[in-house]
mmCIF file of all heavy atoms in Angstrom:
data_model
loop_
_atom_site.group_PDB
_atom_site.id
_atom_site.type_symbol
_atom_site.label_atom_id
_atom_site.label_comp_id
_atom_site.label_asym_id
_atom_site.label_seq_id
_atom_site.Cartn_x
_atom_site.Cartn_y
_atom_site.Cartn_z
ATOM 1 N N ILE A 6 95.443 133.626 142.339
ATOM 2 C CA ILE A 6 96.752 134.190 142.010
ATOM 3 C C ILE A 6 97.402 133.406 140.877
ATOM 4 O O ILE A 6 97.866 133.978 139.896
ATOM 5 C CB ILE A 6 97.673 134.174 143.248
ATOM 6 C CG1 ILE A 6 97.113 135.112 144.298
ATOM 7 C CG2 ILE A 6 99.081 134.598 142.863
ATOM 8 C CD1 ILE A 6 97.764 134.955 145.639
ATOM 9 N N ARG A 8 96.002 131.655 138.720
ATOM 10 C CA ARG A 8 95.297 131.826 137.465
ATOM 11 C C ARG A 8 95.755 133.103 136.782
ATOM 12 O O ARG A 8 95.977 133.148 135.592
ATOM 13 C CB ARG A 8 93.792 131.890 137.717
ATOM 14 C CG ARG A 8 92.981 131.789 136.439
ATOM 15 C CD ARG A 8 91.524 132.000 136.692
ATOM 16 N NE ARG A 8 91.225 133.389 136.892
ATOM 17 C CZ ARG A 8 90.203 133.824 137.618
ATOM 18 N NH1 ARG A 8 89.418 132.986 138.232
ATOM 19 N NH2 ARG A 8 89.983 135.110 137.774
ATOM 20 N N THR A 31 85.873 117.516 125.242
ATOM 21 C CA THR A 31 86.182 116.111 125.490
ATOM 22 C C THR A 31 85.003 115.227 125.112
ATOM 23 O O THR A 31 85.183 114.140 124.552
ATOM 24 C CB THR A 31 86.557 115.894 126.977
ATOM 25 O OG1 THR A 31 87.577 116.834 127.309
ATOM 26 C CG2 THR A 31 87.068 114.490 127.207
ATOM 27 N N LEU A 35 85.137 112.254 122.471
ATOM 28 C CA LEU A 35 84.723 110.883 122.796
ATOM 29 C C LEU A 35 83.726 110.363 121.772
ATOM 30 O O LEU A 35 83.771 109.197 121.375
ATOM 31 C CB LEU A 35 84.114 110.833 124.200
ATOM 32 C CG LEU A 35 85.131 110.796 125.343
ATOM 33 C CD1 LEU A 35 84.433 110.937 126.686
ATOM 34 C CD2 LEU A 35 85.940 109.495 125.300
ATOM 35 N N VAL A 37 83.524 111.151 118.593
ATOM 36 C CA VAL A 37 84.262 110.749 117.394
ATOM 37 C C VAL A 37 85.012 109.445 117.663
ATOM 38 O O VAL A 37 85.091 108.565 116.793
ATOM 39 C CB VAL A 37 85.235 111.869 116.939
ATOM 40 C CG1 VAL A 37 86.014 111.434 115.715
ATOM 41 C CG2 VAL A 37 84.475 113.148 116.649
ATOM 42 N N SER A 53 83.386 86.216 117.694
ATOM 43 C CA SER A 53 83.152 85.138 118.655
ATOM 44 C C SER A 53 81.832 84.415 118.389
ATOM 45 O O SER A 53 81.470 83.496 119.115
ATOM 46 C CB SER A 53 83.133 85.717 120.073
ATOM 47 O OG SER A 53 81.932 86.438 120.271
ATOM 48 N N SER A 110 114.564 103.194 97.225
ATOM 49 C CA SER A 110 114.208 104.596 97.411
ATOM 50 C C SER A 110 115.264 105.337 98.217
ATOM 51 O O SER A 110 115.535 106.513 97.971
ATOM 52 C CB SER A 110 112.865 104.730 98.138
ATOM 53 O OG SER A 110 111.904 103.927 97.542
ATOM 54 N N PHE A 148 98.945 94.651 83.837
ATOM 55 C CA PHE A 148 98.509 93.262 83.703
ATOM 56 C C PHE A 148 98.862 92.712 82.327
ATOM 57 O O PHE A 148 99.386 91.601 82.198
ATOM 58 C CB PHE A 148 97.000 93.163 83.950
ATOM 59 C CG PHE A 148 96.412 91.845 83.537
ATOM 60 C CD1 PHE A 148 96.515 90.741 84.366
ATOM 61 C CD2 PHE A 148 95.779 91.703 82.312
ATOM 62 C CE1 PHE A 148 95.993 89.518 83.984
ATOM 63 C CE2 PHE A 148 95.254 90.488 81.915
ATOM 64 C CZ PHE A 148 95.371 89.389 82.752
ATOM 65 N N VAL A 154 104.987 88.475 79.576
ATOM 66 C CA VAL A 154 106.265 87.906 80.018
ATOM 67 C C VAL A 154 106.062 86.895 81.154
ATOM 68 O O VAL A 154 106.992 86.580 81.890
ATOM 69 C CB VAL A 154 107.250 89.010 80.449
ATOM 70 C CG1 VAL A 154 107.661 89.849 79.248
ATOM 71 C CG2 VAL A 154 106.651 89.892 81.518
ATOM 72 N N LEU A 219 109.949 104.597 106.110
ATOM 73 C CA LEU A 219 109.599 104.158 104.753
ATOM 74 C C LEU A 219 109.173 102.696 104.730
ATOM 75 O O LEU A 219 108.216 102.324 104.057
ATOM 76 C CB LEU A 219 110.802 104.314 103.823
ATOM 77 C CG LEU A 219 110.958 105.604 103.059
ATOM 78 C CD1 LEU A 219 111.932 105.401 101.915
ATOM 79 C CD2 LEU A 219 109.611 106.052 102.516
ATOM 80 N N TYR A 231 94.632 96.079 97.488
ATOM 81 C CA TYR A 231 93.636 95.137 97.007
ATOM 82 C C TYR A 231 93.588 95.121 95.481
ATOM 83 O O TYR A 231 93.653 94.066 94.852
ATOM 84 C CB TYR A 231 92.269 95.518 97.579
ATOM 85 C CG TYR A 231 91.103 94.705 97.068
ATOM 86 C CD1 TYR A 231 90.979 93.359 97.394
ATOM 87 C CD2 TYR A 231 90.111 95.285 96.290
ATOM 88 C CE1 TYR A 231 89.906 92.617 96.930
ATOM 89 C CE2 TYR A 231 89.032 94.550 95.830
ATOM 90 C CZ TYR A 231 88.933 93.214 96.154
ATOM 91 O OH TYR A 231 87.868 92.496 95.696
ATOM 92 N N PRO A 234 96.887 93.380 93.380
ATOM 93 C CA PRO A 234 96.918 91.917 93.385
ATOM 94 C C PRO A 234 95.652 91.282 92.812
ATOM 95 O O PRO A 234 95.719 90.215 92.195
ATOM 96 C CB PRO A 234 97.111 91.551 94.868
ATOM 97 C CG PRO A 234 96.818 92.780 95.629
ATOM 98 C CD PRO A 234 97.065 93.941 94.734
ATOM 99 N N THR A 240 95.263 82.847 90.561
ATOM 100 C CA THR A 240 95.329 81.608 91.312
ATOM 101 C C THR A 240 95.146 81.865 92.799
ATOM 102 O O THR A 240 95.857 82.680 93.377
ATOM 103 C CB THR A 240 96.710 80.940 91.116
ATOM 104 O OG1 THR A 240 97.085 81.091 89.751
ATOM 105 C CG2 THR A 240 96.659 79.476 91.479
ATOM 106 N N ALA A 254 83.940 87.092 100.583
ATOM 107 C CA ALA A 254 82.805 88.011 100.730
ATOM 108 C C ALA A 254 81.892 87.946 99.510
ATOM 109 O O ALA A 254 80.679 88.094 99.625
ATOM 110 C CB ALA A 254 83.295 89.442 100.952
ATOM 111 N N ASN A 258 76.631 86.605 99.007
ATOM 112 C CA ASN A 258 75.387 87.064 98.440
ATOM 113 C C ASN A 258 74.933 86.225 97.246
ATOM 114 O O ASN A 258 73.951 86.517 96.619
ATOM 115 C CB ASN A 258 75.583 88.527 98.023
ATOM 116 C CG ASN A 258 74.298 89.289 98.159
ATOM 117 O OD1 ASN A 258 73.427 88.880 98.913
ATOM 118 N ND2 ASN A 258 74.184 90.384 97.433
ATOM 119 N N ILE A 272 86.045 86.596 111.308
ATOM 120 C CA ILE A 272 87.243 86.305 112.112
ATOM 121 C C ILE A 272 88.496 86.411 111.239
ATOM 122 O O ILE A 272 89.577 86.798 111.723
ATOM 123 C CB ILE A 272 87.157 84.939 112.841
ATOM 124 C CG1 ILE A 272 88.183 84.928 113.970
ATOM 125 C CG2 ILE A 272 87.372 83.769 111.887
ATOM 126 C CD1 ILE A 272 87.924 83.949 115.064
ATOM 127 N N VAL A 276 91.789 88.589 112.210
ATOM 128 C CA VAL A 276 93.152 88.053 112.185
ATOM 129 C C VAL A 276 94.045 88.900 111.255
ATOM 130 O O VAL A 276 95.225 89.079 111.519
ATOM 131 C CB VAL A 276 93.137 86.571 111.742
ATOM 132 C CG1 VAL A 276 94.545 86.043 111.498
ATOM 133 C CG2 VAL A 276 92.429 85.719 112.786
ATOM 134 N N ARG A 294 105.445 110.565 111.248
ATOM 135 C CA ARG A 294 106.528 111.429 110.807
ATOM 136 C C ARG A 294 106.685 111.388 109.286
ATOM 137 O O ARG A 294 106.903 112.405 108.640
ATOM 138 C CB ARG A 294 107.836 111.013 111.475
ATOM 139 C CG ARG A 294 108.946 111.976 111.149
ATOM 140 C CD ARG A 294 110.213 111.554 111.795
ATOM 141 N NE ARG A 294 110.578 110.213 111.385
ATOM 142 C CZ ARG A 294 111.472 109.488 112.008
ATOM 143 N NH1 ARG A 294 112.045 109.941 113.088
ATOM 144 N NH2 ARG A 294 111.780 108.290 111.574
ATOM 145 N N GLY A 299 106.353 114.524 104.328
ATOM 146 C CA GLY A 299 105.920 114.659 102.944
ATOM 147 C C GLY A 299 105.045 115.894 102.768
ATOM 148 O O GLY A 299 105.231 116.671 101.839
#
Side-chain angles (χ1 to χ4, degrees):
Chain A
I6 294 168
R8 192 186 76 207
T31 308
L35 280 172
V37 179
S53 73
S110 311
F148 167 81
V154 293
L219 268 197
Y231 175 68
T240 320
N258 212 22
I272 198 159
V276 171
R294 186 180 57 195

